[in-house]
Amino acid sequence: MNNLHIAQSGSDLFVSGIEEMNLADTLDCGQAFRWSSDDGVTWRGIAFGKELNISQQDGGLLFKDTSSDDFDKVWRRYFDLDRDYTALKTQISTNGTLKTICQQAGGIRVLYQDSWEALCSFIISQNNNIPRIKGIIERLCELCGNPVGSGYAFPSAERIAAMTVDDLAPIRSGFRAKYIIDAANKVASGQLDLSQMSSLPIDDARAQMMTVKGVGPKVADCALLFGCGRIECFPVDVWIRRAMSELFEDGLPAVAVPYAGIVQQFIFHYRRRSAAATSGGDTPQ
DNA sequence: GCCCAGGGAATCG
DNA sequence: CGATTCCATGGG
């Protein structure tokens, strides 16, 4: 088990007992698209309709202006703080290659995001690059999200369902606009019930997700992993396909299968980081 | 101009 | 079935 320690100091919350975590890697590895930082230490973002300023310092996480209520209801689960990543990494490190990956990319935690935001975000991600994905999502929030703090919340499915493809022109999402609208319509109408996705048999959940136009196996797995807590999902994109053929020709080692989604993030980050290191750092961040 | 980007739908043998 | 091609847009 984790030995999480939570201390209040004024209006801030300080959380320690998670020394193996790397906040910057976690927020900037391409699993969530609404976090930004000027210095790589302090991060600002909006999730579940709440703005957060957070930094990693003195061996812990500093949640600025955060009530223990918000921490318990939102951030504790969002940052997956009750999972013992140390034990997980020790277990999968019985494989030599995974041990190296854990050492170089094991600070990432899989964020538990809002299911609708995750579905919509990974629809936008298809055949796209991370900086542009962030831009499209930011414009979508500015276009029709509710104001929150210094920014805008991610718009609800109902709000987007009230719009047309032409209405989405300002966000410049290209051919993905029609997919966003279809997803919003199916979620807002109840035809796709995202609240069931955390408990449905995984093949049923995946099939449900794929009833949305523009949602195939990869986007479905990303939405299930990052938005519905389904860590058995292992989304395969171009980076993972490359990494797997280079590092694990016989597939994911059995010891990692129960945590496939978390290990996928480690591998994804490890592979992209090595690409950046060997190409002069000009690889997309 | 080219190629690629956290893919998927449509089309064609 | 598997293999191509097209899809919008922006950066390198």
Side-chain angles (χ1 to χ4, degrees):
Chain A
M1 269 298 288
N2 268 345
N3 190 15
L4 213 59
H5 187 257
I6 302 158
Q8 204 155 357
S9 66
S11 56
D12 302 337
L13 230 55
F14 185 75
V15 179
S16 52
I18 40 173
E19 283 69 23
E20 44 73 36
M21 176 178 176
N22 185 316
L23 181 67
D25 285 351
T26 297
L27 295 179
D28 202 33
C29 69
Q31 59 172 322
F33 302 99
R34 301 216 60 208
W35 294 93
S36 62
S37 172
D38 293 327
D39 56 8
V41 177
T42 298
W43 295 80
R44 188 197 71 85
I46 295 173
F48 292 98
K50 294 182 183 301
E51 185 176 47
L52 176 67
N53 269 279
I54 184 172
S55 57
Q56 186 165 32
Q57 53 185 264
D58 304 323
L61 296 177
L62 183 65
F63 291 75
K64 294 289 290 178
D65 279 325
T66 301
S67 67
S68 58
D69 193 50
D70 278 352
F71 178 77
D72 286 334
K73 285 183 174 159
V74 178
W75 306 120
R76 190 170 186 137
R77 188 174 84 152
Y78 184 83
F79 287 103
D80 204 14
L81 293 180
D82 289 308
R83 190 188 307 275
D84 188 346
Y85 277 71
T86 300
L88 187 158
K89 284 181 277 193
T90 300
Q91 195 175 340
I92 66 174
S93 288
T94 52
N95 175 284
T97 307
L98 285 176
K99 181 175 183 179
T100 302
I101 291 172
C102 285
Q103 285 165 349
Q104 298 192 31
I108 290 176
R109 303 176 87 84
V110 169
L111 301 172
Y112 200 143
Q113 305 176 56
D114 173 73
S115 56
W116 160 245
E117 177 174 340
L119 173 60
C120 196
S121 295
F122 281 94
I123 285 172
I124 292 169
S125 80
Q126 76 170 56
N127 197 301
N128 213 340
N129 56 69
I130 291 174
R132 185 164 172 255
I133 295 164
K134 286 185 175 180
I136 292 170
I137 291 173
E138 208 49 43
R139 289 189 290 276
L140 175 64
C141 295
E142 290 167 5
L143 180 67
C144 56
N146 294 327
V148 174
S150 58
Y152 297 88
F154 195 90
S156 67
E158 290 74 15
R159 179 69 185 84
I160 296 179
M163 305 177 77
T164 67
V165 169
D166 287 341
D167 293 334
L168 291 183
I171 72 173
R172 305 198 296 281
S173 61
F175 62 87
R176 306 164 191 84
K178 55 183 178 290
Y179 301 152
I180 297 170
I181 298 292
D182 186 61
N185 285 336
K186 286 197 166 74
V187 171
S189 70
Q191 192 173 335
L192 173 61
D193 184 356
L194 292 176
S195 70
Q196 295 184 5
M197 296 300 123
S198 59
S199 57
L200 231 46
I202 192 61
D203 290 337
D204 295 345
R206 195 178 280 117
Q208 283 288 307
M209 288 290 200
M210 287 174 59
T211 62
V212 176
K213 287 175 195 156
V215 177
K218 194 272 180 180
V219 171
D221 276 2
C222 281
L224 288 166
L225 172 59
F226 301 120
C228 307
R230 304 304 296 258
I231 65 161
E232 69 267 50
C233 288
F234 190 84
V236 177
D237 65 7
V238 291
W239 292 95
I240 290 293
R241 199 176 302 284
R242 256 174 244 161
M244 292 305 287
S245 66
E246 293 165 3
L247 303 171
F248 304 102
E249 278 204 333
D250 299 326
L252 193 65
V255 68
V257 168
Y259 327 103
I262 294 173
V263 179
Q264 191 266 13
Q265 276 305 277
F266 293 171
I267 298 172
F268 179 77
H269 187 60
Y270 173 83
R271 182 60 183 79
R272 281 170 52 92
R273 179 174 277 181
S274 73
T278 56
S279 66
D282 60 283
T283 306
Q285 44 162 317

